[in-house]
Amino acid sequence: MSANELDFERCYRAVATKDARFDGQFVTAVRTTGIYCRPSCPAITPKPANVTFLRTAAAAQQSGFRACRRCLPDAAPGSPLWNTRADLAARAMRLIADGVIERGGVPALADTLGYSQRQLTRVLTSELGAGPLALARAHRAHTARLLIQTTPLSMSDIAFAAGFASIRQFNDTVREVFAVSPTTLRDESRRRNGDTLPATNGLLTLRLPYREPLDKPWLEWFLSSHAVPGLELWEDGVYTRSLRTPHGHTTVRMSVQPGHVRASLALHDMRDLAPTVARLRHFLDLDADPVGIDEALAAGMAGNRAGVVLSHGIRVPGCLDGPELLLRTMIGQQISVAAANTHSARLVQNLGESIPGPVAHLFPTAAAIAEHGAEVLTGPSKRVEAIVAAARALADGDLVLHSGRTATELRRDLLALDGVGPWTADYVTMRLLADPDVLLHTDLIVRRGAGLLGIDLTDTARWAPWRSYLTMHLWKHALAHPATVPDGAPGARKARTVP
């Protein structure tokens, strides 16, 4: 399927075979029932003459279709297109998921992307079948359903937590999208699943679906090895961390389960549910299409050393906070992972805001690091100065890090900072934007992995646009086969720093 048009025959085959890989990539709108479904809906396959395929749930809702309450199309993994595409529509979708419209309206979204409201609305309507307000409304409806079905919160609390301006707007939207009242939606869920999960002081437990397969060992290694004491905790397969959110903060506990990630959120403000879930999905790369990626990478391996078996379902970890990603990456330059965690922990302990819960602090703000970072950070003076200067640029607004930026502009701005070279710029771009096609070809571990697999890093076009995933495979393979390079050899310290 192309970026803007859906191939009817391919979509219909996916629906006829109940192919769950396409859940979230498009929806099936059935004209005879007025319902839209995910491709894997277990209902009887409708006749071709009765269906139309739409890119988003918002487009289906805007066309007058209501969501299937059997397959819950809004609960499917998100479309991987928003990562593989770097155009205006894709960048807008990432920001809408992060709640930009709820916080500042369409003007804020347009300003962030650098377009007029009229031009933005025209592009989104043309490419996605719905304008920014309709797309944001679909996200609000999804958040409302989550709260209705998983918490005992009152409907009035849910309405405002989901971002609705009034209870009447909330009721009207739920009836229009799901064809039942909010109370009926809750009663149906209770009959189907038993009592809702308890909510205490804003605690929610959710299932975040992903497309299988998923390389659980790789994801768990990444989370556990990079856990910063005081900010993050890894214990018995559960990753816990604090996170600053638009209206306060939250503490997250996550564990990878078959078919989903179990996430418990202790939210300071319920309005932060939707952006927090979007960030968690981005962080764990849950919207990837692993089968398609694996097939493309395996095809590219043809002709390399025999017997090479790539891990199935490997993910490229994203990030939960752009400034934190950049500053922690700069702290970790040229030192080991353990040393980077120690330096970051010292920064968190001294400058991070204290919060209650299993992790005691939030990561320090850029302003706090700009003001006091030189007093806390240790190491080469040039590196400390570079980190403080980057924090000052972030605090002053001279450097803006969010998922709606283009890779070209972001990389340019990062390289303009003292102490940031191509590797750091590419690494931050890959994780901040979930860019699937960044090959860290200068990295020592990547080069070692390439050598072990017989890959020429000067000839990697056949793996586009999945070279970020190739980077993960090379890292994993190299880490599974430790180098014989002595500790004192050039580059040995950097090799232990990444990923």
Side-chain angles (χ1 to χ4, degrees):
M1 287 176 283
S2 69
N4 299 325
E5 297 181 358
L6 293 168
D7 183 306
F8 187 93
E9 293 301 325
R10 187 179 179 193
C11 289
Y12 193 79
R13 284 197 301 272
V15 171
T17 58
K18 315 296 183 188
D19 194 335
R21 291 182 300 164
F22 292 93
D23 287 354
Q25 300 196 44
F26 66 87
V27 296
T28 306
V30 185
R31 288 185 287 272
T32 51
T33 62
I35 291 174
Y36 72 92
C37 304
R38 62 169 77 190
S40 66
C41 182
I44 296 174
T45 303
K47 296 179 179 178
N50 295 332
V51 302
T52 186
F53 300 110
L54 300 168
R55 180 66 72 191
T56 64
Q61 293 169 20
Q62 188 155 290
S63 298
F65 295 93
R66 63 183 186 273
C68 175
R69 300 203 302 278
R70 184 176 183 182
C71 69
L72 300 175
D74 63 319
S79 174
L81 279 176
W82 312 143
N83 292 340
T84 56
R85 290 172 57 174
D87 57 11
L88 176 60
R91 292 186 289 121
M93 285 297 291
R94 294 198 290 263
L95 291 175
I96 290 171
D98 196 48
V100 170
I101 289 182
E102 272 67 28
R103 296 192 292 274
V106 177
L109 177 65
D111 289 344
T112 301
L113 292 167
Y115 286 80
S116 69
Q117 295 180 54
R118 181 177 180 180
Q119 187 176 14
L120 175 64
T121 300
R122 179 181 58 79
V123 170
L124 294 182
T125 302
S126 173
E127 297 197 15
L128 304 179
L133 285 176
L135 291 164
R137 177 176 175 269
H139 278 280
R140 285 195 294 270
H142 170 54
T143 302
R145 184 188 60 76
L146 273 178
L147 293 172
I148 290 169
Q149 295 184 335
T150 63
T151 79
L153 290 172
S154 69
M155 294 303 172
S156 59
D157 287 342
I158 290 174
F160 294 110
F164 291 97
S166 68
I167 296 175
R168 179 177 178 177
Q169 185 189 61
F170 161 72
N171 286 329
D172 289 346
T173 298
V174 171
R175 285 192 180 96
E176 184 177 344
V177 172
F178 300 105
V180 294
S181 69
T183 301
T184 301
L185 199 60
R186 174 170 281 175
D187 290 342
E188 287 180 349
S189 177
R190 283 175 171 166
R191 287 195 298 269
R192 186 167 56 245
N193 303 318
D195 272 340
T196 56
L197 294 166
T200 305
N201 296 326
L203 180 65
L204 299 175
T205 300
L206 308 173
R207 292 161 60 100
L208 308 181
Y210 58 79
R211 296 180 182 85
E212 295 193 82
L214 181 142
D215 188 344
K216 180 178 177 180
W218 169 254
L219 203 52
E220 291 188 336
W221 175 86
F222 193 96
L223 296 175
S224 61
S225 66
H226 292 81
V228 171
L231 175 71
E232 300 163 295
L233 176 67
W234 176 265
E235 192 173 45
D236 298 329
V238 178
Y239 172 73
T240 304
R241 73 152 289 160
S242 62
L243 174 64
R244 186 172 283 103
T245 54
H247 299 98
H249 61 82
T250 183
T251 299
V252 180
R253 289 171 54 87
M254 297 186 292
S255 61
V256 179
Q257 307 294 329
H260 71 277
V261 170
R262 182 181 175 87
S264 295
L265 314 179
L267 293 158
H268 179 76
D269 190 314
M270 293 297 291
R271 290 176 295 175
D272 290 329
L273 172 62
T276 299
V277 169
R279 293 179 191 184
L280 294 178
R281 298 194 64 82
H282 168 76
F283 180 52
L284 301 179
D285 196 16
L286 298 184
D287 293 325
D289 175 13
V291 173
I293 295 169
D294 289 349
E295 289 176 351
L297 294 180
M301 285 293 177
N304 289 296
R305 295 184 182 176
V308 173
V309 178
L310 298 179
S311 301
H312 294 299
I314 204 165
R315 296 304 203 267
V316 178
C319 78
L320 293 168
D321 182 86
E324 177 188 326
L325 171 64
L326 172 61
L327 296 171
R328 285 180 60 175
T329 301
M330 294 179 71
I331 289 171
Q333 290 174 336
Q334 301 298 324
I335 59 177
S336 69
V337 172
N341 291 343
T342 299
H343 284 282
S344 296
R346 186 182 301 118
L347 200 65
V348 167
Q349 175 70 31
N350 285 276
L351 302 181
E353 178 185 344
S354 297
I355 59 171
V359 288
H361 298 89
L362 295 168
F363 191 80
T365 63
I369 296 175
E371 185 175 359
H372 300 292
E375 303 166 15
V376 178
L377 292 167
T378 59
S381 59
K382 287 187 176 181
R383 184 169 69 217
V384 172
E385 291 169 2
I387 294 168
V388 171
R392 186 175 300 111
L394 290 165
D396 293 344
D398 296 330
L399 176 64
V400 179
L401 301 181
H402 60 68
S403 59
R405 301 207 59 187
T406 67
T408 301
E409 293 175 349
L410 176 61
R411 191 174 188 276
R412 179 201 64 202
D413 290 352
L414 290 171
L415 289 173
L417 297 172
D418 289 336
V420 172
W423 183 92
T424 299
D426 287 341
Y427 181 75
V428 171
T429 298
M430 177 179 70
R431 295 190 58 191
L432 177 64
L433 304 185
D435 190 324
D437 201 30
V438 176
L439 179 66
L440 300 180
H441 61 281
T442 63
D443 181 82
L444 186 59
I445 288 184
V446 170
R447 292 167 63 185
R448 187 198 310 154
L452 291 169
L453 295 176
I455 293 174
D456 180 3
L457 292 179
T458 65
D459 179 24
T460 61
R462 62 186 179 278
W463 285 292
W466 308 117
R467 283 175 285 195
S468 296
Y469 294 87
L470 177 62
T471 295
M472 296 298 113
H473 281 292
L474 297 179
W475 263 338
K476 181 176 181 179
H477 196 77
L479 292 169
H481 300 81
T484 57
V485 179
D487 284 348
R493 296 180 69 197
K494 183 171 183 179
R496 295 197 302 273
T497 304
V498 292

